[in-house]
Amino acid sequence: NAGVMQNPRHLVRRRGQEARLRCSPMKGHSHVYWYRQLPEEGLKFMVYLQKENIIDESGMPKERFSAEFPKEGPSILRIQQVVRGDSAAYFCASSPGQSGTNEKLFFGSGTQLSVL
Amino acid sequence: GNSVTQMEGPVTLSEEAFLTINCTYTATGYPSLFWYVQYPGEGLQLLLKATKADDKGSNKGFEATYRKETTSFHLEKGSVQVSDSAVYFCALGGYTGGFKTIFGAGTRLFVKA
């Protein structure tokens, strides 16, 4: 029973390039959350998606960042024209229901994005 | 809005010492409270949770009690081991402009043999 799968594990981009981060939730989970972790900081909520819908994107920067969770396939977090400040670990989590209830989150191992 | 504040680290203890990591929260309504643990190079894993006031969550010798009167959810363990070295995150699940889980900044724990 595979857990939350994120890839790639490490991603190196030069300034101005695009970064695409993928997340496959646990089987049977229809709720996906993306968080960003900067060095020595906590996790910052970015976006919450259900299949084909963005439910809450209040933590995601308005420019350059977008997320999707299509009917088929993984959830994608896309960062256009990356800058050095985008360097961070990006974690995806899934749950069978809304995490605002008593549902726990299942986390992937993260994607470490480094912008040169 | 909802928020979580936890004690700054790092915390360094000797093996078999008593551990307390403080966590307080601000929330409207009746949130659920969680402690997650992150080992090096990995994602977060749920350690324990409590869903209502006076509930005690416990797992692997760790425990925390949901105290509504002091808005706290302190993590404790009576005797830590080297393998407990990790980063511990206090978290709150509830409605804050949408249902999502809010995390504290994390507390790094080092346990020396």
Side-chain angles (χ1 to χ4, degrees), chain B residues 11-61:
Chain B
V11 173
T12 302
L13 296 173
S14 297
E15 210 165 20
E16 299 183 3
F18 184 87
L19 168 71
T20 300
I21 300 178
N22 290 339
C23 171
T24 57
Y25 67 90
T26 301
T28 54
Y30 303 96
S32 296
L33 300 173
F34 307 84
W35 277 100
Y36 282 81
V37 59
Q38 184 181 32
Y39 298 102
E42 298 183 12
L44 279 68
Q45 306 171 26
L46 180 70
L47 181 59
L48 54 83
K49 72 175 186 182
T51 58
K52 61 183 187 297
D54 299 325
D55 266 4
K56 178 186 283 189
S58 60
N59 185 26
K60 300 180 182 179

Side-chain angles (χ1 to χ4, degrees), chain A residues 31-50:
Chain A
H31 300 250
V32 166
Y33 308 82
W34 285 93
Y35 288 84
R36 176 163 62 177
Q37 184 178 34
L38 293 167
E40 303 305 318
E41 293 189 17
L43 271 71
K44 301 298 183 186
F45 168 81
M46 298 183 71
V47 61
Y48 161 35
L49 310 104
Q50 294 181 29

Side-chain angles (χ1 to χ4, degrees), chain A:
Chain A
N1 187 14
V4 178
M5 304 300 291
Q6 286 188 251
N7 67 82
R9 192 69 193 270
H10 301 276
L11 181 61
V12 179
R13 286 286 178 266
R14 296 190 182 280
R15 280 180 296 169
Q17 291 185 319
E18 178 182 286
R20 291 170 68 88
L21 288 63
R22 294 175 182 76
C23 169
S24 296
M26 283 186 71
K27 188 176 180 181
H29 288 191
S30 58
H31 300 250
V32 166
Y33 308 82
W34 285 93
Y35 288 84
R36 176 163 62 177
Q37 184 178 34
L38 293 167
E40 303 305 318
E41 293 189 17
L43 271 71
K44 301 298 183 186
F45 168 81
M46 298 183 71
V47 61
Y48 161 35
L49 310 104
Q50 294 181 29
K51 285 284 187 182
E52 300 183 278
N53 287 304
I54 296 175
I55 307 302
D56 183 346
E57 56 183 350
S58 59
M60 199 156 66
K62 294 288 186 286
E63 296 182 356
R64 302 189 298 108
F65 286 73
S66 62
E68 62 176 13
F69 188 15
K71 187 176 180 181
E72 301 291 339
S75 175
I76 306 289
L77 179 67
R78 184 179 175 209
I79 311 172
Q80 294 178 292
Q81 300 175 327
V82 296
V83 301
R84 289 223 172 99
D86 296 332
S87 296
Y90 291 83
F91 287 95
C92 170
S94 72
S95 70
Q98 286 180 331
S99 83
T101 59
N102 61 356
E103 293 282 358
K104 75 176 188 181
L105 297 176
F106 294 80
F107 280 83
S109 297
T111 294
Q112 180 65 51
L113 173 65
S114 299
V115 180
L116 305 179

